[in-house]
Amino acid sequence: QDLGTDERMPGPDPKAGSAGGQLSQGEIQGVVSQNQALVRRKCWQPALDARAKDGPSTAKVSATITIGPSGNVDSVSASGGDKDFPGLSSCVASRIKGWKFPPSGGSTTVSVPFVFAAQ
């Protein structure tokens, strides 16, 4: 029986939840990967440049993204890193707001960790 699963997936993705038509982990990861360099350049680099001389050189920001059926980001919240890098998580969140995901059959909520380190 065909449940209308995505042809490219060898069966349902257990991480995508049980609701039909959600984005696959691969589709989400693709968009995150495409945008990671920009987030690093626009958010992490300025935060790193502004830190105290003896401040840490790494940060972790966790973002929770809700993607609507159209592929637009309905909501995003990000936290982490602000103790050492004020404004880093809000910068990451504002960048994610403009991302475009593939359309799907329903809303998808996903957590994305960003680990930043000085090059």
Side-chain angles (χ1 to χ4, degrees), residues 18-87:
S18 57
Q22 288 195 320
L23 292 172
S24 72
Q25 205 63 27
E27 289 171 316
I28 292 164
Q29 192 54 51
V31 175
V32 172
S33 298
Q34 282 171 357
N35 289 284
Q36 232 157 5
L38 189 66
V39 169
R40 190 166 280 125
R41 196 163 64 241
K42 296 286 190 186
C43 298
W44 173 238
Q45 205 52 55
L48 195 57
D49 293 345
R51 83 183 196 280
K53 286 248 183 289
D54 54 356
S57 58
T58 61
K60 183 176 178 194
V61 174
S62 295
T64 302
I65 310 166
T66 301
I67 305 153
S70 67
N72 289 327
V73 174
D74 283 348
S75 69
V76 59
S77 66
S79 61
D82 280 350
K83 182 172 78 65
D84 299 308
F85 301 98

